Amino acid sequence: MANYISILLLISAFFIFNPSFAQKTPVKFGKISEEELAMTHYALDSSASAVVLCDYGQSYMDYGTDQFQVIHERTTRIKILTKDGYDYANHSFQLYKQSSAKETYSQLKGYTYNLEDGSIVKTKLEKESIFEEEIDENHDKIKITMPAVKVGSVIEFTYRITSDFLFNFQGWQFQYFIPVAWSEYRAKFIDYYKYQKDFQGYLPAYINESSSGNQTFSVRIDSKLTPGVNGGRTSSSTKSYDVRYNEERIVMKDVPAFIKEPNLTTPNDFISMINYELELVDFPGSIAKRYRGTWESLNNEMLEHDYFGDRTKGAILLGKRVVTENTNETDSDSEKLAKIYRLITNQMTWNGISSKYARESEQNIFESGKGSSADINFLLINFLNRADIKAEPVLVSTRSHGMVKEYNATTSQFNYVICKALVDDKYILLDATEKYLPIGVLPTRCINGRGYTISKDNPGWIDLHSEESDASKITGNIILREDGMIEGRLNKAYGGYNALSKRKSYFYDGDEKFKTDIIEKSNWEIDSLSISNTNDISQDFIEVIQFNKKAGADAMGNMIYFNPIITGRLEKNIYHLQERTYPVSYPSLVQEDYYVSFEIPQGYTMEEIPESFNLMMPNRAASFTYKIIPQGQKFVVFTRFKINKTLFVQDEYPYLKEFYAQMIAKLNEQIVLKKA
């Protein structure tokens, strides 16, 4: 076995190998029952638009022409229950590629089964319904669209993926946005390859078992010429080897649909699934090779990458010219940073692509005025360095991309890059993709745990946070008429991330369309509308509305019933799950104020008014205040809603849900006026 590696280069090999496990497979392709077709609803979830009847997969290692391969096989059966379930008749899977090598698929088959006049009719998936498209330089996507799908159909497909990329051992997803009756995954590894298993989610396995044993394979060594006096042609031979293997079987049964509620980073952070990462390759008689990297090795890898580390050395001539033209020698570092940052944000427009690699030249990017997040932020980094301000890239995973697992040093966890600049011995985090954010304020998409600084001198983790909040303040003076009509003036001030959202919409739509949309979506008659502070990002974005509404209150005889929260009122609880198995993650802190004065009709008095109310979660995590202050023929309504932290763990969910329930109940209380 000492020359095992060299032998592998000469062999044509075959395995005495059975990839199937001893257990019976849970589903047999093509065997559909009438009970499955007659099914009209799923007993465990009557609202389900479709249900995965069975999802079965197995992955194992085989030997190809001259190397080991990973084989992944999958068979899936889905019942369509309503028209909303038609989307699940489409399926896709990815194939990895690198240079000229790529994963391949085979044995792709599919059928749609329908029950017609008491008989089972099956329609075959044809080649015309199989599509291939390129995702990026390392991934292709295969998409299938099942035929003849209607309410009541059962669809079924199966395929095999063959991969020469041993690091890409397929994982398995157990949970989806529809319920899953049975999901089973079997994985088999030979002892030469060690994988790290990462199981995520909060659902327990119905079956989780493993076993090990020996697997025999034979290698035929081709004949070859041996030089020298005593040389000659060796005869071909066959040698058998026993390899230790480990296998595991994981089953989840009656898996509930994953329900998306607000304030969630991405479902992929919490859906129950298992992934594998190649950690070590250890052939007998050779030096073991470790694949699972460290953060130190990742830092070095990124520093040497053509589209990352090399970009921190670029833009020398362009950067010097831009810095010279836009800054003064007498400027402080803070002034230089502000000028360069504003130059980039004004000059560049983000094309919406999140990337950690900058692939275009700096000159082309700067002249075109458009680029990805990496293109724009590497420009910023380089220009700051040309101005003698130390700036370095920080790898980030956006909220929609998922949380970073810090125990797993892989670049694939990141999809974005921002800038870290050192000014006056203090680090400032910058993202120049947003024109309408103050300096040092990150977009909410970037606020997701911690980022990793790539640096020659001081690589490491840095917290991604923001002191900015979702802020809004509504003030106004309203007159209530005896016939139930209300009229008056409201001033809406948007700060923080709310101001960013408003400004982006305003400049994208233009003044006329922006105002028209407000008027058309309003349930009031708007007499006038003015917008101010559109360009000044240091100030709140202001909307001032003069309006009237004929049925703003219910006038009945000598009584008027009226809800004084005339805008922005929550009517339903955004949290409705009995139990939420994943945390609540707000993108930012929240503060919403409402301070509006009302003038009541002459001759009326306030018969009933809601009591003052103060609500607070434990540790002041959230608070709500409600007050009505009578002032003769007027009264003032004041409310304040605050979210004081961004992360609520699962144990806090019942308190948060109840907090919203009580707040909404209070906001929907009415004032009763009575004619004297």
Side-chain angles (χ1 to χ4, degrees):
M1 295 291 285
N3 295 321
Y4 183 79
I5 298 299
S6 60
I7 289 173
L8 286 179
L9 301 177
L10 303 170
I11 61 173
S12 54
F14 62 95
F15 278 101
I16 301 170
F17 177 63
N18 180 6
S20 301
F21 285 68
Q23 296 91 353
K24 183 181 178 182
T25 58
V27 63
K28 188 171 182 180
F29 186 79
K31 297 294 183 180
I32 303 293
S33 67
E34 288 193 15
E35 289 78 12
E36 289 172 322
L37 282 168
M39 178 181 177
T40 58
H41 72 283
Y42 183 52
L44 298 180
D45 184 353
S46 59
S47 65
S49 61
V51 56
V52 178
L53 300 174
C54 186
D55 199 9
Y56 171 64
Q58 60 175 354
S59 296
Y60 54 91
M61 308 186 80
D62 203 345
Y63 200 87
T65 304
D66 59 0
Q67 70 174 68
F68 285 105
Q69 296 175 316
V70 175
I71 311 297
H72 174 70
E73 299 172 347
R74 180 178 184 179
T75 299
T76 303
R77 185 177 295 171
I78 300 174
K79 172 72 178 185
I80 307 299
L81 296 168
T82 71
K83 290 183 178 180
D84 290 337
Y86 285 177
D87 286 344
Y88 295 96
N90 303 315
H91 178 73
S92 65
F93 57 90
Q94 290 188 14
L95 299 176
Y96 184 81
K97 60 183 180 180
Q98 194 176 85
S99 299
S100 60
K102 65 182 296 183
E103 294 177 336
T104 60
Y105 73 94
S106 60
Q107 302 179 27
L108 174 56
K109 296 183 292 183
Y111 291 96
T112 299
Y113 302 88
N114 289 297
L115 195 60
E116 297 180 6
D117 298 326
S119 300
I120 297 177
V121 177
K122 73 176 185 177
T123 307
K124 182 181 178 181
L125 172 68
E126 301 291 348
K127 291 183 179 180
E128 292 75 18
S129 297
I130 302 172
F131 310 94
E132 183 171 348
E133 66 179 41
E134 184 176 46
I135 299 175
D136 54 43
E137 64 182 49
N138 291 122
H139 299 90
D140 290 334
K141 180 187 285 187
I142 307 300
K143 299 194 299 184
I144 63 174
T145 300
M146 299 300 294
V149 174
K150 57 185 179 181
V151 174
S153 297
V154 172
I155 64 169
E156 186 178 46
F157 53 83
T158 185
Y159 56 85
R160 170 188 281 195
I161 297 174
T162 302
S163 175
D164 291 339
F165 304 105
L166 278 300
F167 60 81
N168 201 29
F169 197 96
Q170 290 275 353
W172 189 255
Q173 183 173 326
F174 294 93
Q175 189 177 27
Y176 293 89
F177 298 117
I178 54 175
V180 180
W182 186 277
S183 181
E184 178 171 340
Y185 185 59
R186 304 177 185 181
K188 189 170 186 177
F189 313 90
I190 64 172
D191 220 21
Y192 300 149
Y193 296 89
K194 312 290 185 184
Y195 290 86
Q196 178 71 32
K197 180 168 64 175
D198 178 21
F199 197 102
Q200 75 166 44
Y202 300 93
L203 300 176
Y206 177 66
I207 298 173
N208 191 349
E209 58 189 17
S210 60
S211 61
S212 59
N214 288 320
Q215 172 180 315
T216 303
F217 67 93
S218 298
V219 176
R220 184 169 65 85
I221 305 170
D222 291 338
S223 64
K224 65 176 182 175
L225 287 173
T226 304
V229 176
N230 299 318
R233 177 173 291 278
T234 63
S235 59
S236 60
S237 61
T238 301
K239 196 167 185 177
S240 295
Y241 297 99
D242 283 337
V243 179
R244 192 75 176 166
Y245 68 82
N246 295 283
E247 60 185 14
E248 60 184 33
R249 176 180 178 234
I250 303 172
V251 176
M252 285 195 176
K253 180 184 176 185
D254 301 333
V255 182
F258 186 90
I259 306 299
K260 293 186 291 185
E261 278 196 329
N263 299 311
L264 166 69
T265 52
T266 172
N268 286 337
D269 280 338
F270 308 105
I271 280 178
S272 292
M273 65 175 67
I274 188 169
N275 292 298
Y276 299 91
E277 184 192 353
L278 182 60
E279 186 170 25
L280 187 72
V281 176
D282 187 9
F283 284 104
S286 65
I287 299 174
K289 182 177 180 181
R290 185 167 294 278
Y291 279 80
R292 188 180 177 89
T294 63
W295 290 109
E296 180 183 4
S297 63
L298 181 144
N299 182 69
N300 293 334
E301 174 191 338
M302 296 304 288
L303 286 173
E304 296 172 2
H305 200 287
D306 292 344
Y307 300 131
F308 195 95
D310 278 0
R311 289 310 170 104
T312 62
K313 308 167 190 173
I316 296 175
L317 295 177
L318 174 64
K320 285 183 177 179
R321 177 175 64 80
V322 169
V323 169
T324 301
E325 292 175 354
N326 293 276
T327 64
N328 301 315
E329 291 184 2
T330 56
D331 288 342
S332 67
D333 283 351
S334 294
E335 290 169 332
K336 288 180 182 177
L337 182 142
K339 290 180 177 180
I340 293 170
Y341 179 78
R342 282 299 162 213
L343 169 71
I344 295 288
T345 56
N346 291 332
Q347 169 79 9
M348 302 300 299
T349 298
W350 182 41
N351 60 15
I353 296 174
S354 297
S355 176
K356 58 179 175 282
Y357 296 123
R359 302 181 185 278
E360 297 292 330
S361 74
E362 291 91 339
Q363 187 75 39
N364 290 343
I365 290 296
F366 193 65
E367 290 177 356
S368 70
K370 290 185 178 181
S372 69
S373 58
D375 293 328
I376 293 172
N377 285 323
F378 271 115
L379 270 181
L380 175 63
I381 290 166
N382 286 322
F383 287 2
L384 290 176
N385 281 322
R386 300 293 86 80
D388 297 323
I389 296 173
K390 185 178 181 180
E392 296 172 319
V394 178
L395 286 170
V396 170
S397 176
T398 59
R399 288 173 63 86
S400 62
H401 187 254
M403 297 184 296
V404 175
K405 298 167 182 175
E406 295 185 16
Y407 59 81
N408 187 9
T410 56
T411 58
S412 61
Q413 294 196 87
F414 303 98
N415 69 322
Y416 203 94
V417 64
I418 61 173
C419 168
K420 182 174 79 171
L422 180 63
V423 177
D424 300 328
D425 296 324
K426 181 181 178 181
Y427 283 112
I428 301 174
L429 296 180
L430 303 164
D431 183 353
T433 62
E434 294 291 358
K435 300 177 185 295
Y436 311 117
L437 276 181
I439 292 174
V441 177
L442 294 176
T444 54
R445 63 176 171 270
C446 297
I447 303 173
N448 188 28
R450 300 205 293 175
Y452 193 82
T453 305
I454 302 299
S455 170
K456 287 183 178 179
D457 306 319
N458 191 28
W461 295 101
I462 186 167
D463 289 332
L464 304 170
H465 65 275
S466 174
E467 299 300 326
E468 205 66 79
S469 63
D470 263 347
S472 65
K473 184 176 183 179
I474 297 174
T475 58
N477 294 288
I478 309 298
I479 298 173
L480 175 60
R481 303 298 184 188
E482 189 170 0
D483 60 359
M485 178 179 177
I486 61 172
E487 59 183 339
R489 172 189 172 103
L490 284 179
N491 183 304
K492 297 183 177 183
Y494 300 95
Y497 291 113
N498 277 337
L500 168 67
S501 178
K502 284 289 182 178
R503 287 190 173 98
K504 288 176 71 173
S505 296
Y506 179 82
F507 286 107
Y508 181 82
D509 292 339
D511 182 80
E512 184 178 351
K513 184 177 185 305
F514 183 83
K515 290 179 178 178
T516 300
D517 284 348
I518 292 176
I519 293 170
E520 290 180 349
K521 292 176 182 177
S522 175
N523 57 0
W524 307 325
E525 289 290 329
I526 295 182
D527 302 316
S528 67
L529 169 64
S530 65
I531 309 293
S532 59
N533 295 343
T534 56
N535 287 293
D536 189 354
I537 62 175
S538 65
Q539 301 294 320
D540 290 346
F541 184 96
I542 303 293
E543 297 173 358
V544 179
I545 299 172
Q546 193 77 32
F547 76 98
N548 68 81
K549 185 178 182 181
K550 291 183 179 179
D554 292 326
M556 302 173 65
N558 64 343
M559 309 290 285
I560 297 176
Y561 302 88
F562 176 60
N563 190 318
I565 312 299
I566 61 173
T567 183
R569 182 174 79 245
L570 272 178
E571 296 184 353
K572 293 182 179 180
N573 198 336
I574 62 174
Y575 301 117
H576 57 273
L577 293 177
Q578 190 69 27
E579 179 184 10
R580 178 157 160 161
T581 58
Y582 50 91
V584 176
S585 175
Y586 286 87
S588 66
L589 305 179
V590 178
Q591 178 164 328
E592 298 175 359
D593 287 354
Y594 181 90
Y595 190 92
V596 179
S597 172
F598 292 85
E599 181 180 331
I600 65 177
Q602 289 293 327
Y604 281 79
T605 60
M606 301 178 70
E607 179 77 3
E608 294 180 19
I609 62 173
E611 294 181 357
S612 295
F613 185 70
N614 286 294
L615 182 64
M616 190 170 295
M617 281 188 65
N619 300 318
R620 300 179 179 271
S623 61
F624 172 68
T625 299
Y626 184 108
K627 291 181 181 179
I628 293 182
I629 308 165
Q631 297 176 345
Q633 286 298 111
K634 293 184 177 181
F635 65 90
V636 173
V637 178
F638 169 72
T639 70
R640 171 169 287 170
F641 164 58
K642 294 181 72 176
I643 296 292
N644 297 316
K645 70 174 189 175
T646 57
L647 184 66
F648 293 79
V649 298
Q650 292 89 313
D651 289 347
E652 295 176 291
Y653 178 75
Y655 300 101
L656 187 64
K657 180 180 176 181
E658 179 61 22
F659 174 88
Y660 269 80
Q662 292 191 37
M663 178 177 68
I664 291 167
K666 194 67 183 179
L667 289 171
N668 284 284
E669 289 184 0
Q670 290 191 324
I671 288 175
V672 180
L673 305 179
K674 184 177 182 180
K675 193 170 185 177

